[in-house]
Amino acid sequence: MYDIKKVEEIVFEEIKNVSEDKQSIITKTTPLIGDEGTIDSVDLVDLCLSLEDIAVDLGFEFDWASEKAMSASRSMFKDAGSLSKEFYRQWKEN
Protein backbone atom coordinates (compact mmCIF):
# COMPACT_ATOMS: atom_id res chain seq x y z
CA MET A 1 0.00 0.00 0.00
CA TYR A 2 1.26 3.47 -0.89
CA ASP A 3 1.56 6.31 1.58
CA ILE A 4 1.14 9.99 0.67
CA LYS A 5 4.86 10.36 -0.06
CA LYS A 6 4.76 7.56 -2.65
CA VAL A 7 1.62 9.04 -4.22
CA GLU A 8 3.39 12.41 -4.43
CA GLU A 9 6.32 10.76 -6.23
CA ILE A 10 3.96 9.15 -8.73
CA VAL A 11 1.94 12.31 -9.35
CA PHE A 12 5.04 14.52 -9.58
CA GLU A 13 6.58 12.13 -12.10
CA GLU A 14 3.42 12.18 -14.21
CA ILE A 15 3.41 16.00 -14.13
CA LYS A 16 7.00 16.00 -15.36
CA ASN A 17 6.10 13.49 -18.08
CA VAL A 18 3.42 15.76 -19.58
CA SER A 19 5.29 19.03 -19.04
CA GLU A 20 7.35 20.51 -21.86
CA ASP A 21 10.11 21.30 -19.35
CA LYS A 22 11.44 17.84 -18.50
CA GLN A 23 14.25 19.31 -16.39
CA SER A 24 12.08 21.16 -13.89
CA ILE A 25 11.84 19.94 -10.33
CA ILE A 26 8.27 19.34 -9.22
CA THR A 27 7.43 20.11 -5.59
CA LYS A 28 4.22 20.38 -3.58
CA THR A 29 4.02 24.10 -4.35
CA THR A 30 4.62 23.83 -8.10
CA PRO A 31 1.65 25.61 -9.73
CA LEU A 32 -0.08 23.47 -12.33
CA ILE A 33 -2.45 25.82 -14.15
CA GLY A 34 -2.87 29.55 -14.61
CA ASP A 35 -0.35 32.27 -15.39
CA GLU A 36 2.40 30.60 -13.37
CA GLY A 37 1.34 27.09 -14.35
CA THR A 38 3.70 24.31 -15.31
CA ILE A 39 1.31 22.69 -17.78
CA ASP A 40 -1.21 23.90 -20.35
CA SER A 41 -4.77 22.66 -20.84
CA VAL A 42 -3.80 19.84 -23.23
CA ASP A 43 -1.12 18.66 -20.81
CA LEU A 44 -3.67 18.80 -17.98
CA VAL A 45 -5.98 16.42 -19.84
CA ASP A 46 -3.05 14.10 -20.59
CA LEU A 47 -2.07 14.19 -16.91
CA CYS A 48 -5.59 13.35 -15.78
CA LEU A 49 -5.89 10.48 -18.24
CA SER A 50 -2.57 9.12 -17.03
CA LEU A 51 -3.72 9.40 -13.40
CA GLU A 52 -6.96 7.64 -14.35
CA ASP A 53 -4.90 4.70 -15.65
CA ILE A 54 -2.85 4.59 -12.46
CA ALA A 55 -6.04 4.74 -10.39
CA VAL A 56 -7.47 1.77 -12.27
CA ASP A 57 -4.32 -0.18 -11.43
CA LEU A 58 -4.85 0.77 -7.78
CA GLY A 59 -8.50 -0.29 -7.89
CA PHE A 60 -10.41 2.99 -7.93
CA GLU A 61 -11.85 5.57 -10.32
CA PHE A 62 -10.11 8.95 -10.23
CA ASP A 63 -12.70 11.74 -10.52
CA TRP A 64 -10.95 14.76 -12.00
CA ALA A 65 -14.03 16.46 -13.44
CA SER A 66 -15.93 17.20 -10.24
CA GLU A 67 -17.24 20.62 -9.26
CA LYS A 68 -14.44 20.90 -6.70
CA ALA A 69 -11.83 20.19 -9.36
CA MET A 70 -13.09 23.06 -11.47
CA SER A 71 -13.36 25.58 -8.63
CA ALA A 72 -10.74 28.31 -8.98
CA SER A 73 -10.23 28.68 -5.23
CA ARG A 74 -10.43 25.01 -4.21
CA SER A 75 -9.18 23.27 -7.32
CA MET A 76 -7.08 20.15 -6.97
CA PHE A 77 -5.15 21.53 -9.94
CA LYS A 78 -3.91 24.59 -8.05
CA ASP A 79 -0.53 22.96 -7.40
CA ALA A 80 1.18 19.58 -7.43
CA GLY A 81 0.61 19.06 -3.71
CA SER A 82 -3.15 19.65 -3.99
CA LEU A 83 -3.42 17.17 -6.85
CA SER A 84 -1.42 14.57 -4.93
CA LYS A 85 -3.55 15.00 -1.81
CA GLU A 86 -6.79 14.69 -3.79
CA PHE A 87 -5.57 11.62 -5.66
CA TYR A 88 -4.56 10.03 -2.35
CA ARG A 89 -7.88 11.01 -0.69
CA GLN A 90 -9.94 9.46 -3.50
CA TRP A 91 -7.85 6.29 -3.39
CA LYS A 92 -8.21 5.92 0.39
CA GLU A 93 -12.00 6.48 0.24
CA ASN A 94 -12.50 3.64 -2.23
Coordinates of all heavy atoms in Angstrom, one line a residue:
M1 N 0.8 -1.2 0.0 CA 0.0 0.0 0.0 C 0.9 1.2 0.0 O 1.9 1.3 0.7 CB -0.9 0.0 1.2 CG -1.8 1.2 1.3 SD -3.1 1.1 2.5 CE -4.4 0.4 1.5
Y2 N 0.5 2.2 -0.8 CA 1.3 3.5 -0.9 C 0.9 4.4 0.2 O -0.3 4.5 0.6 CB 1.0 4.2 -2.2 CG 1.4 3.4 -3.4 CD1 0.8 3.5 -4.6 CD2 2.5 2.5 -3.4 CE1 1.2 2.9 -5.8 CE2 2.9 1.8 -4.5 CZ 2.2 2.0 -5.7 OH 2.6 1.3 -6.8
D3 N 1.9 5.2 0.7 CA 1.6 6.3 1.6 C 1.5 7.6 0.8 O 1.8 7.6 -0.5 CB 2.6 6.4 2.7 CG 4.0 6.6 2.3 OD1 4.2 6.9 1.1 OD2 4.9 6.6 3.1
I4 N 1.3 8.7 1.4 CA 1.1 10.0 0.7 C 2.4 10.4 0.0 O 2.4 10.9 -1.1 CB 0.6 11.1 1.6 CG1 0.4 12.4 0.8 CG2 1.6 11.4 2.7 CD1 -0.8 12.3 -0.2
K5 N 3.6 10.0 0.6 CA 4.9 10.4 -0.1 C 5.0 9.6 -1.4 O 5.5 10.2 -2.4 CB 6.0 10.0 0.9 CG 6.1 10.9 2.1 CD 6.4 12.3 1.6 CE 6.6 13.2 2.9 NZ 6.7 14.6 2.5
K6 N 4.7 8.3 -1.4 CA 4.8 7.6 -2.7 C 3.8 8.1 -3.7 O 4.1 8.2 -4.9 CB 4.5 6.1 -2.4 CG 4.6 5.2 -3.6 CD 6.0 5.2 -4.1 CE 6.2 4.3 -5.3 NZ 7.4 4.4 -6.0
V7 N 2.6 8.5 -3.3 CA 1.6 9.0 -4.2 C 2.2 10.3 -4.8 O 2.1 10.6 -6.0 CB 0.3 9.2 -3.5 CG1 -0.7 10.1 -4.4 CG2 -0.4 7.9 -3.2
E8 N 2.8 11.2 -3.9 CA 3.4 12.4 -4.4 C 4.4 12.1 -5.5 O 4.5 12.8 -6.5 CB 4.0 13.2 -3.3 CG 3.0 13.9 -2.4 CD 3.6 14.5 -1.2 OE1 4.9 14.4 -0.9 OE2 2.9 15.2 -0.5
E9 N 5.3 11.1 -5.2 CA 6.3 10.8 -6.2 C 5.7 10.4 -7.6 O 6.2 10.8 -8.6 CB 7.2 9.6 -5.7 CG 8.1 9.9 -4.6 CD 8.8 8.7 -4.1 OE1 8.9 7.6 -4.8 OE2 9.2 8.7 -2.9
I10 N 4.6 9.6 -7.5 CA 4.0 9.1 -8.7 C 3.3 10.3 -9.5 O 3.5 10.5 -10.7 CB 2.9 8.1 -8.4 CG1 3.6 6.8 -7.9 CG2 2.0 7.8 -9.6 CD1 2.6 5.8 -7.3
V11 N 2.6 11.2 -8.7 CA 1.9 12.3 -9.3 C 3.0 13.3 -9.9 O 2.8 13.8 -11.0 CB 1.0 13.0 -8.3 CG1 0.4 14.3 -8.9 CG2 -0.2 12.0 -8.0
F12 N 4.0 13.6 -9.1 CA 5.0 14.5 -9.6 C 5.7 14.0 -10.9 O 6.0 14.8 -11.8 CB 6.1 14.8 -8.5 CG 5.6 15.5 -7.3 CD1 4.3 15.9 -7.1 CD2 6.5 15.8 -6.2 CE1 3.8 16.5 -6.0 CE2 6.0 16.4 -5.1 CZ 4.7 16.8 -5.0
E13 N 6.0 12.7 -10.9 CA 6.6 12.1 -12.1 C 5.7 12.3 -13.3 O 6.1 12.6 -14.4 CB 6.9 10.7 -11.9 CG 7.7 10.0 -13.0 CD 9.1 10.6 -13.2 OE1 9.7 11.2 -12.3 OE2 9.5 10.6 -14.4
E14 N 4.4 12.0 -13.1 CA 3.4 12.2 -14.2 C 3.3 13.6 -14.7 O 3.2 13.9 -15.9 CB 2.0 11.6 -13.8 CG 2.0 10.2 -13.6 CD 2.5 9.4 -14.8 OE1 2.1 9.7 -16.0 OE2 3.3 8.4 -14.6
I15 N 3.4 14.6 -13.7 CA 3.4 16.0 -14.1 C 4.6 16.3 -15.0 O 4.5 16.9 -16.0 CB 3.4 16.9 -12.9 CG1 2.1 16.8 -12.1 CG2 3.7 18.4 -13.3 CD1 2.1 17.4 -10.7
K16 N 5.8 15.8 -14.6 CA 7.0 16.0 -15.4 C 6.9 15.4 -16.7 O 7.3 15.9 -17.7 CB 8.2 15.4 -14.6 CG 9.5 15.8 -15.3 CD 10.7 15.2 -14.5 CE 11.1 16.2 -13.4 NZ 12.3 15.9 -12.8
N17 N 6.3 14.2 -16.8 CA 6.1 13.5 -18.1 C 5.3 14.3 -19.1 O 5.6 14.2 -20.3 CB 5.5 12.1 -17.9 CG 6.4 11.1 -17.3 OD1 7.6 11.3 -17.3 ND2 5.8 10.1 -16.7
V18 N 4.3 15.0 -18.6 CA 3.4 15.8 -19.6 C 3.9 17.2 -19.8 O 3.5 17.8 -20.8 CB 1.9 15.8 -19.1 CG1 1.4 14.4 -19.0 CG2 1.7 16.6 -17.9
S19 N 4.8 17.7 -18.9 CA 5.3 19.0 -19.0 C 6.3 19.1 -20.2 O 7.1 18.2 -20.4 CB 6.0 19.4 -17.7 OG 6.6 20.7 -17.8
E20 N 6.4 20.3 -20.8 CA 7.4 20.5 -21.9 C 8.7 20.7 -21.3 O 9.7 20.4 -21.9 CB 7.0 21.7 -22.7 CG 5.8 21.5 -23.5 CD 5.4 22.7 -24.4 OE1 6.3 23.5 -24.7 OE2 4.2 22.8 -24.8
D21 N 8.8 21.1 -20.0 CA 10.1 21.3 -19.3 C 10.4 20.1 -18.5 O 10.1 19.9 -17.4 CB 10.1 22.5 -18.4 CG 11.4 22.8 -17.7 OD1 12.4 22.1 -18.0 OD2 11.4 23.7 -16.9
K22 N 11.1 19.1 -19.1 CA 11.4 17.8 -18.5 C 12.5 18.0 -17.4 O 12.7 17.1 -16.6 CB 11.9 16.8 -19.5 CG 11.0 16.6 -20.7 CD 9.7 15.9 -20.2 CE 8.9 15.6 -21.4 NZ 7.5 15.4 -21.1
Q23 N 13.2 19.1 -17.4 CA 14.3 19.3 -16.4 C 13.8 20.0 -15.1 O 14.5 20.0 -14.1 CB 15.4 20.2 -17.0 CG 15.9 19.6 -18.3 CD 16.5 18.2 -18.1 OE1 17.2 17.9 -17.2 NE2 16.2 17.3 -19.1
S24 N 12.5 20.5 -15.1 CA 12.1 21.2 -13.9 C 11.9 20.2 -12.7 O 11.6 19.0 -12.9 CB 10.8 21.9 -14.2 OG 9.8 21.0 -14.5
I25 N 12.1 20.7 -11.5 CA 11.8 19.9 -10.3 C 10.4 20.2 -9.8 O 10.1 21.4 -9.7 CB 12.9 20.3 -9.3 CG1 14.3 19.9 -9.7 CG2 12.5 19.6 -7.9 CD1 15.4 20.4 -8.9
I26 N 9.6 19.2 -9.7 CA 8.3 19.3 -9.2 C 8.2 19.2 -7.7 O 8.8 18.2 -7.2 CB 7.4 18.3 -9.9 CG1 7.5 18.3 -11.4 CG2 5.9 18.5 -9.5 CD1 7.1 19.6 -12.1
T27 N 7.6 20.1 -7.0 CA 7.4 20.1 -5.6 C 6.0 20.3 -5.3 O 5.1 20.6 -6.2 CB 8.2 21.2 -4.9 OG1 7.7 22.5 -5.2 CG2 9.7 21.2 -5.3
K28 N 5.6 20.2 -4.0 CA 4.2 20.4 -3.6 C 3.7 21.7 -4.0 O 2.5 21.9 -4.3 CB 4.1 20.3 -2.1 CG 4.3 18.9 -1.5 CD 4.2 18.9 0.0 CE 4.5 17.5 0.6 NZ 4.4 17.5 2.0
T29 N 4.5 22.7 -4.1 CA 4.0 24.1 -4.4 C 4.1 24.5 -5.8 O 3.8 25.6 -6.2 CB 4.8 25.1 -3.5 OG1 6.2 25.0 -3.8 CG2 4.5 24.9 -2.0
T30 N 4.5 23.5 -6.7 CA 4.6 23.8 -8.1 C 3.2 24.1 -8.7 O 2.4 23.2 -8.6 CB 5.2 22.6 -8.9 OG1 6.6 22.4 -8.4 CG2 5.3 22.9 -10.4
P31 N 3.0 25.3 -9.2 CA 1.6 25.6 -9.7 C 1.4 24.8 -11.0 O 2.3 24.7 -11.8 CB 1.7 27.1 -10.0 CG 3.1 27.5 -10.1 CD 3.9 26.4 -9.3
L32 N 0.2 24.3 -11.1 CA -0.1 23.5 -12.3 C -0.7 24.3 -13.5 O -0.3 24.1 -14.6 CB -1.0 22.3 -12.0 CG -0.4 21.3 -11.0 CD1 -1.3 20.1 -10.8 CD2 0.9 20.7 -11.5
I33 N -1.7 25.1 -13.1 CA -2.4 25.8 -14.1 C -2.4 27.3 -13.8 O -2.0 27.7 -12.8 CB -3.9 25.3 -14.3 CG1 -4.6 25.4 -12.9 CG2 -3.9 23.9 -14.8 CD1 -6.1 25.0 -13.0
G34 N -2.8 28.1 -14.8 CA -2.9 29.5 -14.6 C -1.6 30.2 -15.2 O -0.8 29.6 -15.8
D35 N -1.5 31.5 -14.9 CA -0.4 32.3 -15.4 C 1.0 31.7 -15.0 O 1.9 31.7 -15.8 CB -0.4 33.7 -14.9 CG -1.6 34.4 -15.5 OD1 -2.2 34.0 -16.5 OD2 -2.1 35.5 -14.8
E36 N 1.1 31.2 -13.8 CA 2.4 30.6 -13.4 C 2.5 29.1 -13.6 O 3.4 28.4 -13.1 CB 2.6 30.9 -11.9 CG 2.5 32.4 -11.5 CD 3.7 33.1 -12.0 OE1 4.8 32.6 -11.8 OE2 3.5 34.3 -12.5
G37 N 1.5 28.5 -14.2 CA 1.3 27.1 -14.3 C 2.5 26.4 -15.1 O 3.1 26.9 -16.0
T38 N 2.7 25.2 -14.7 CA 3.7 24.3 -15.3 C 3.2 23.6 -16.6 O 4.0 23.3 -17.4 CB 4.1 23.2 -14.3 OG1 4.5 23.9 -13.1 CG2 5.2 22.3 -14.8
I39 N 1.9 23.4 -16.6 CA 1.3 22.7 -17.8 C 0.2 23.5 -18.4 O -0.5 24.3 -17.7 CB 0.8 21.3 -17.4 CG1 -0.2 21.4 -16.2 CG2 2.0 20.4 -17.0 CD1 -0.8 20.0 -15.8
D40 N -0.1 23.2 -19.7 CA -1.2 23.9 -20.3 C -2.4 23.0 -20.3 O -2.4 21.9 -19.7 CB -0.8 24.3 -21.8 CG -0.5 23.1 -22.7 OD1 -0.9 22.0 -22.4 OD2 0.2 23.4 -23.7
S41 N -3.5 23.4 -20.9 CA -4.8 22.7 -20.8 C -4.7 21.3 -21.5 O -5.3 20.3 -21.0 CB -5.9 23.5 -21.4 OG -5.6 23.8 -22.8
V42 N -4.0 21.1 -22.6 CA -3.8 19.8 -23.2 C -3.0 18.9 -22.3 O -3.3 17.7 -22.2 CB -3.1 20.0 -24.6 CG1 -2.8 18.6 -25.2 CG2 -4.0 20.8 -25.5
D43 N -1.9 19.5 -21.7 CA -1.1 18.7 -20.8 C -1.9 18.2 -19.6 O -1.8 17.1 -19.1 CB 0.1 19.5 -20.3 CG 1.1 19.8 -21.4 OD1 1.1 19.0 -22.5 OD2 1.8 20.7 -21.3
L44 N -2.8 19.1 -19.1 CA -3.7 18.8 -18.0 C -4.6 17.6 -18.3 O -4.7 16.7 -17.5 CB -4.5 20.0 -17.6 CG -5.5 19.8 -16.4 CD1 -4.7 19.5 -15.1 CD2 -6.3 21.0 -16.2
V45 N -5.1 17.6 -19.5 CA -6.0 16.4 -19.8 C -5.1 15.2 -19.9 O -5.5 14.1 -19.4 CB -6.7 16.7 -21.2 CG1 -7.4 15.4 -21.7 CG2 -7.7 17.8 -21.0
D46 N -4.0 15.3 -20.5 CA -3.0 14.1 -20.6 C -2.7 13.6 -19.2 O -2.7 12.4 -18.9 CB -1.8 14.4 -21.4 CG -2.0 14.6 -22.8 OD1 -3.0 14.1 -23.4 OD2 -1.1 15.2 -23.5
L47 N -2.4 14.5 -18.3 CA -2.1 14.2 -16.9 C -3.2 13.5 -16.2 O -3.0 12.4 -15.6 CB -1.7 15.5 -16.1 CG -1.5 15.3 -14.6 CD1 -0.3 14.3 -14.3 CD2 -1.3 16.7 -14.0
C48 N -4.4 14.0 -16.4 CA -5.6 13.4 -15.8 C -5.9 12.0 -16.3 O -6.2 11.0 -15.6 CB -6.8 14.3 -15.9 SG -6.7 15.7 -14.9
L49 N -5.7 11.8 -17.6 CA -5.9 10.5 -18.2 C -4.9 9.5 -17.7 O -5.2 8.3 -17.5 CB -5.9 10.6 -19.8 CG -7.0 11.3 -20.4 CD1 -6.8 11.5 -21.9 CD2 -8.3 10.7 -20.1
S50 N -3.6 10.0 -17.6 CA -2.6 9.1 -17.0 C -2.9 8.7 -15.6 O -2.7 7.6 -15.2 CB -1.2 9.9 -17.1 OG -0.2 9.1 -16.5
L51 N -3.4 9.7 -14.8 CA -3.7 9.4 -13.4 C -4.9 8.5 -13.3 O -5.0 7.6 -12.4 CB -4.0 10.7 -12.6 CG -2.7 11.6 -12.4 CD1 -3.1 12.9 -11.7 CD2 -1.7 10.8 -11.6
E52 N -5.8 8.6 -14.3 CA -7.0 7.6 -14.4 C -6.4 6.2 -14.5 O -6.9 5.3 -13.9 CB -7.9 8.0 -15.5 CG -9.0 8.9 -15.2 CD -9.9 9.1 -16.4 OE1 -9.7 8.6 -17.5 OE2 -11.0 9.7 -16.1
D53 N -5.5 6.0 -15.4 CA -4.9 4.7 -15.7 C -4.2 4.2 -14.4 O -4.4 3.0 -14.0 CB -3.9 4.7 -16.8 CG -4.5 5.0 -18.2 OD1 -5.8 4.8 -18.3 OD2 -3.8 5.4 -19.1
I54 N -3.5 5.0 -13.7 CA -2.8 4.6 -12.5 C -3.9 4.2 -11.4 O -3.8 3.2 -10.7 CB -1.9 5.7 -11.9 CG1 -0.7 5.9 -12.9 CG2 -1.4 5.4 -10.5 CD1 0.1 7.1 -12.7
A55 N -5.0 5.0 -11.3 CA -6.0 4.7 -10.4 C -6.7 3.4 -10.7 O -7.0 2.6 -9.7 CB -7.1 5.8 -10.4
V56 N -6.9 3.1 -11.9 CA -7.5 1.8 -12.3 C -6.6 0.6 -11.8 O -7.0 -0.3 -11.2 CB -7.7 1.7 -13.8 CG1 -8.0 0.2 -14.2 CG2 -8.8 2.6 -14.2
D57 N -5.3 0.8 -11.9 CA -4.3 -0.2 -11.4 C -4.4 -0.3 -9.9 O -4.1 -1.4 -9.4 CB -2.9 0.2 -11.8 CG -2.7 0.0 -13.3 OD1 -3.5 -0.7 -14.0 OD2 -1.6 0.6 -13.8
L58 N -4.7 0.8 -9.2 CA -4.8 0.8 -7.8 C -6.2 0.4 -7.3 O -6.5 0.3 -6.1 CB -4.5 2.2 -7.2 CG -3.0 2.6 -7.4 CD1 -2.8 4.0 -6.9 CD2 -2.1 1.7 -6.6
G59 N -7.2 0.2 -8.2 CA -8.5 -0.3 -7.9 C -9.5 0.8 -7.6 O -10.5 0.5 -6.9
F60 N -9.4 2.0 -8.1 CA -10.4 3.0 -7.9 C -10.5 3.9 -9.2 O -9.7 3.8 -10.1 CB -10.1 3.8 -6.7 CG -9.1 4.9 -6.8 CD1 -9.4 6.2 -7.1 CD2 -7.7 4.6 -6.7 CE1 -8.4 7.2 -7.2 CE2 -6.7 5.5 -6.8 CZ -7.1 6.8 -7.0
E61 N -11.6 4.7 -9.2 CA -11.9 5.6 -10.3 C -11.5 7.0 -9.9 O -12.1 7.5 -8.9 CB -13.3 5.5 -10.7 CG -13.6 6.3 -11.9 CD -15.1 6.2 -12.4 OE1 -15.7 5.1 -12.2 OE2 -15.6 7.2 -12.9
F62 N -10.5 7.6 -10.6 CA -10.1 8.9 -10.2 C -11.1 9.9 -10.9 O -11.2 10.0 -12.1 CB -8.7 9.2 -10.7 CG -8.1 10.6 -10.5 CD1 -8.1 11.1 -9.2 CD2 -7.6 11.3 -11.5 CE1 -7.7 12.3 -8.9 CE2 -7.1 12.6 -11.3 CZ -7.2 13.1 -10.0
D63 N -11.7 10.7 -10.0 CA -12.7 11.7 -10.5 C -12.0 13.1 -10.6 O -11.8 13.7 -9.6 CB -13.9 11.8 -9.6 CG -14.9 12.9 -10.0 OD1 -14.8 13.4 -11.1 OD2 -15.8 13.1 -9.2
W64 N -11.6 13.5 -11.8 CA -10.9 14.8 -12.0 C -11.8 15.8 -12.6 O -11.4 16.9 -12.9 CB -9.7 14.6 -12.8 CG -9.8 13.9 -14.1 CD1 -9.8 12.5 -14.3 CD2 -10.0 14.5 -15.4 NE1 -10.0 12.2 -15.7 CE2 -10.1 13.4 -16.4 CE3 -10.1 15.8 -15.9 CZ2 -10.2 13.6 -17.7 CZ3 -10.2 16.0 -17.3 CH2 -10.3 14.9 -18.2
A65 N -13.1 15.5 -12.8 CA -14.0 16.5 -13.4 C -15.1 16.9 -12.5 O -16.1 17.4 -12.9 CB -14.6 15.8 -14.7
S66 N -14.9 16.8 -11.2 CA -15.9 17.2 -10.2 C -16.0 18.7 -10.1 O -15.1 19.5 -10.6 CB -15.6 16.6 -8.9 OG -14.4 17.2 -8.4
E67 N -17.1 19.2 -9.5 CA -17.2 20.6 -9.3 C -16.1 21.2 -8.5 O -15.6 22.3 -8.8 CB -18.5 20.9 -8.5 CG -18.8 22.3 -8.3 CD -20.1 22.5 -7.5 OE1 -21.1 21.8 -7.7 OE2 -20.2 23.5 -6.7
K68 N -15.6 20.4 -7.5 CA -14.4 20.9 -6.7 C -13.2 21.1 -7.6 O -12.4 22.0 -7.4 CB -14.2 19.9 -5.6 CG -13.0 20.3 -4.7 CD -12.7 19.4 -3.6 CE -11.5 19.8 -2.8 NZ -11.1 18.8 -1.9
A69 N -13.0 20.1 -8.5 CA -11.8 20.2 -9.4 C -11.8 21.5 -10.2 O -10.8 22.0 -10.5 CB -11.8 19.0 -10.3
M70 N -13.0 21.9 -10.6 CA -13.1 23.1 -11.5 C -13.2 24.4 -10.7 O -13.2 25.4 -11.3 CB -14.3 22.9 -12.4 CG -14.2 21.7 -13.3 SD -12.6 21.6 -14.2 CE -12.5 19.9 -14.5
S71 N -13.3 24.4 -9.4 CA -13.4 25.6 -8.6 C -12.0 26.3 -8.6 O -11.0 25.7 -8.3 CB -13.8 25.2 -7.2 OG -13.5 26.3 -6.3
A72 N -12.0 27.6 -8.9 CA -10.7 28.3 -9.0 C -10.1 28.4 -7.6 O -8.9 28.3 -7.5 CB -11.0 29.7 -9.5
S73 N -10.8 28.5 -6.6 CA -10.2 28.7 -5.2 C -9.9 27.4 -4.5 O -9.0 27.3 -3.7 CB -11.1 29.5 -4.3 OG -12.4 28.8 -4.1
R74 N -10.6 26.3 -4.9 CA -10.4 25.0 -4.2 C -9.9 23.9 -5.1 O -9.9 22.7 -4.8 CB -11.8 24.5 -3.6 CG -12.3 25.5 -2.6 CD -13.7 25.0 -2.1 NE -14.6 24.9 -3.3 CZ -15.7 24.2 -3.3 NH1 -16.0 23.5 -2.3 NH2 -16.4 24.2 -4.4
S75 N -9.5 24.3 -6.3 CA -9.2 23.3 -7.3 C -8.0 22.4 -6.9 O -7.0 22.8 -6.4 CB -8.8 24.0 -8.6 OG -8.4 23.0 -9.6
M76 N -8.2 21.1 -7.2 CA -7.1 20.2 -7.0 C -5.9 20.4 -7.9 O -4.8 19.9 -7.7 CB -7.6 18.7 -7.1 CG -7.8 18.3 -8.5 SD -8.2 16.5 -8.7 CE -10.0 16.6 -8.6
F77 N -6.2 21.2 -9.0 CA -5.1 21.5 -9.9 C -4.4 22.8 -9.6 O -3.6 23.3 -10.4 CB -5.8 21.6 -11.3 CG -6.5 20.4 -11.7 CD1 -7.9 20.4 -11.9 CD2 -5.8 19.2 -11.8 CE1 -8.5 19.2 -12.3 CE2 -6.5 18.0 -12.2 CZ -7.8 18.0 -12.4
K78 N -4.6 23.4 -8.5 CA -3.9 24.6 -8.1 C -2.4 24.4 -8.0 O -1.6 25.2 -8.6 CB -4.4 25.0 -6.7 CG -3.7 26.2 -6.1 CD -4.4 26.6 -4.8 CE -4.1 25.5 -3.8 NZ -4.6 25.8 -2.5
D79 N -2.0 23.3 -7.5 CA -0.5 23.0 -7.4 C -0.3 21.4 -7.3 O -1.3 20.7 -7.1 CB 0.2 23.7 -6.3 CG -0.5 23.5 -4.9 OD1 -0.8 22.3 -4.6 OD2 -0.6 24.4 -4.1
A80 N 0.9 21.0 -7.4 CA 1.2 19.6 -7.4 C 0.8 18.9 -6.1 O 0.3 17.8 -6.1 CB 2.7 19.4 -7.7
G81 N 1.0 19.6 -5.0 CA 0.6 19.1 -3.7 C -0.9 18.8 -3.6 O -1.3 17.8 -3.0
S82 N -1.7 19.8 -4.0 CA -3.1 19.7 -4.0 C -3.6 18.5 -4.8 O -4.5 17.7 -4.4 CB -3.8 20.9 -4.5 OG -3.5 22.0 -3.7
L83 N -3.0 18.3 -6.0 CA -3.4 17.2 -6.8 C -3.0 15.9 -6.2 O -3.8 14.9 -6.2 CB -2.8 17.3 -8.2 CG -3.1 16.2 -9.2 CD1 -4.6 16.1 -9.4 CD2 -2.4 16.5 -10.5
S84 N -1.9 15.8 -5.6 CA -1.4 14.6 -4.9 C -2.3 14.2 -3.8 O -2.7 13.1 -3.6 CB 0.0 14.7 -4.4 OG 0.9 14.9 -5.4
K85 N -2.7 15.2 -3.0 CA -3.6 15.0 -1.8 C -4.9 14.5 -2.2 O -5.5 13.6 -1.6 CB -3.7 16.3 -1.0 CG -2.5 16.5 -0.1 CD -2.4 17.9 0.6 CE -3.7 18.2 1.3 NZ -3.6 19.5 2.0
E86 N -5.5 15.1 -3.3 CA -6.8 14.7 -3.8 C -6.8 13.3 -4.4 O -7.7 12.5 -4.1 CB -7.3 15.7 -4.8 CG -8.7 15.3 -5.4 CD -9.8 15.2 -4.3 OE1 -9.7 15.8 -3.2 OE2 -10.8 14.6 -4.6
F87 N -5.7 13.0 -5.1 CA -5.6 11.6 -5.7 C -5.5 10.6 -4.5 O -6.2 9.6 -4.5 CB -4.3 11.5 -6.5 CG -4.2 10.2 -7.3 CD1 -4.7 10.1 -8.5 CD2 -3.4 9.2 -6.7 CE1 -4.6 8.8 -9.2 CE2 -3.3 8.0 -7.4 CZ -3.9 7.8 -8.6
Y88 N -4.7 10.9 -3.5 CA -4.6 10.0 -2.3 C -5.9 9.9 -1.6 O -6.3 8.8 -1.2 CB -3.5 10.6 -1.4 CG -3.2 9.7 -0.2 CD1 -2.4 8.5 -0.4 CD2 -3.6 10.1 1.0 CE1 -2.1 7.7 0.7 CE2 -3.3 9.2 2.1 CZ -2.6 8.1 1.9 OH -2.3 7.3 3.0
R89 N -6.6 11.0 -1.4 CA -7.9 11.0 -0.7 C -8.9 10.1 -1.4 O -9.5 9.3 -0.8 CB -8.4 12.4 -0.6 CG -9.7 12.5 0.2 CD -10.5 13.8 0.1 NE -11.0 14.0 -1.3 CZ -12.1 13.4 -1.8 NH1 -12.8 12.5 -1.0 NH2 -12.5 13.6 -3.0
Q90 N -9.0 10.3 -2.7 CA -9.9 9.5 -3.5 C -9.6 8.0 -3.4 O -10.4 7.1 -3.3 CB -10.0 9.9 -5.0 CG -10.7 11.2 -5.1 CD -10.8 11.6 -6.6 OE1 -11.0 10.7 -7.5 NE2 -10.9 12.9 -6.9
W91 N -8.3 7.7 -3.5 CA -7.9 6.3 -3.4 C -8.2 5.7 -2.0 O -8.7 4.6 -1.9 CB -6.4 6.2 -3.7 CG -5.8 4.8 -3.5 CD1 -6.3 3.7 -4.0 CD2 -4.6 4.5 -2.8 NE1 -5.5 2.6 -3.7 CE2 -4.4 3.1 -3.0 CE3 -3.6 5.2 -2.1 CZ2 -3.3 2.4 -2.4 CZ3 -2.6 4.5 -1.6 CH2 -2.4 3.2 -1.7
K92 N -7.9 6.4 -1.0 CA -8.2 5.9 0.4 C -9.7 5.8 0.7 O -10.1 4.9 1.5 CB -7.6 6.9 1.5 CG -6.1 6.9 1.4 CD -5.4 5.6 1.5 CE -5.4 5.1 2.9 NZ -4.7 3.9 3.1
E93 N -10.5 6.6 0.0 CA -12.0 6.5 0.2 C -12.6 5.3 -0.5 O -13.8 5.0 -0.3 CB -12.7 7.8 -0.1 CG -12.4 8.9 0.9 CD -13.2 10.2 0.6 OE1 -13.9 10.2 -0.5 OE2 -13.1 11.1 1.4
N94 N -11.9 4.7 -1.4 CA -12.5 3.6 -2.2 C -12.0 2.3 -1.8 O -11.1 2.0 -1.2 CB -12.2 3.9 -3.7 CG -13.1 5.0 -4.2 OD1 -14.3 5.0 -4.2 ND2 -12.4 6.0 -4.8

